Amino acid sequence: YAGSPAVDDAGLIFSDADQVSDWADAGVRWAVANGILSGKGNGILDPLGNATRAEVAQMLYRYTQIG
């Protein structure tokens, strides 16, 4: 929906960032840089976990607030 926005080459600061799939890396870095994703606390992103309904609602809300 947002097209192909530029992504910063900076690494992710989460301890489990190495678990982010290669195909999702740029999108996850963009979402973190734009405040859509912020992790689950204690420096964990949990890219292999499931998102709750509340977490998805928060991500969608944050997405609508950018730009």
Side-chain angles (χ1 to χ4, degrees):
Y1 181 80
S4 297
V7 177
D8 187 354
D9 286 335
L12 294 172
I13 57 170
F14 301 98
S15 62
D16 56 352
D18 61 328
Q19 295 177 7
V20 175
S21 298
D22 291 340
W23 62 266
D25 184 64
V28 170
R29 285 188 289 128
W30 178 84
V32 169
N34 285 281
I36 296 168
L37 292 176
S38 59
K40 293 197 173 188
N42 296 325
I44 296 172
L45 181 62
D46 194 20
L48 301 177
N50 293 319
T52 67
R53 181 174 53 156
E55 290 169 335
V56 172
Q58 186 64 43
M59 287 184 277
L60 291 171
Y61 173 75
R62 291 176 182 167
Y63 179 75
T64 64
Q65 300 304 302
I66 60 174

